[in-house]
Amino acid sequence: TPQITGKIFQMIDDIGQQRLSSALALYQDLLALKEPALRILSLILRHFNLLLRIKSSPSVSNAELAKKLKLPPFAVGKYQQQARHFSPGQIKDCIEYALLQEEHAKTGRISAQLAVELVIIRSANKPSKNA
């Protein structure tokens, strides 16, 4: 279990830092460890929701954000660092796309594994907000 948890958080960090090949490699490792694809997708969605909440609160202190989001203060700093890679619109786009792929997986239009791969590829390949 600690190995699975560590891989999930590293994969999500790689997505946030836009390291596509590393994120996909970790995703494959998680699948090999029999981690359900839809559980991984729900964690990715949670991550982007937290990025959006942090991005939407630029004037709030880290301590206040940590309390409000029920996160350790060091995690808030990590999320703030990742949020710099995305505009609010890009984060919203990632969330909407992930929700769409989740729906496609749950209705049988595509496999859950493919849905997560598509989300990782699209989210980690977002152009820089300054581009």
Side-chain angles (χ1 to χ4, degrees):
T1 303
Q3 182 182 12
I4 290 172
T5 303
K7 284 184 185 288
I8 287 173
F9 287 110
Q10 180 60 50
M11 182 199 68
I12 291 171
D13 189 49
D14 286 345
I15 292 169
Q17 296 292 329
Q18 300 177 312
R19 295 185 295 251
L20 177 60
S21 60
S22 179
L24 286 172
L26 286 165
Y27 177 59
Q28 292 304 316
D29 288 350
L30 287 165
L31 292 175
L33 292 169
K34 307 286 187 216
E35 192 63 24
L38 288 176
R39 179 170 181 260
I40 296 167
L41 184 57
S42 71
L43 291 170
I44 293 170
L45 272 163
R46 178 184 181 274
H47 186 80
F48 276 106
N49 278 312
L50 286 169
L51 286 179
L52 185 59
R53 290 183 70 190
I54 285 172
K55 189 80 168 181
S56 301
S57 305
S59 61
V60 179
S61 74
N62 282 10
E64 288 177 67
L65 276 173
K67 185 177 178 182
K68 181 177 168 183
L69 300 175
K70 297 179 179 140
L71 293 171
F74 78 89
V76 171
K78 195 172 190 178
Y79 281 109
Q80 286 172 325
Q81 201 172 34
Q82 288 179 2
R84 290 185 189 111
H85 293 281
F86 300 92
S87 70
Q90 289 171 325
I91 297 170
K92 288 177 187 174
D93 180 64
C94 289
I95 292 168
E96 289 172 10
Y97 188 74
L99 288 170
L100 177 68
Q101 295 311 316
E102 180 182 46
E103 178 184 331
H104 288 250
K106 287 181 175 179
T107 59
R109 294 175 79 186
I110 62 173
S111 71
Q113 182 177 341
L114 178 59
V116 178
E117 288 172 7
L118 291 171
V119 169
I120 291 170
I121 290 167
R122 181 161 172 165
S123 299
N125 272 327
K126 294 307 265 177
S128 168
K129 70 174 185 168
N130 299 322

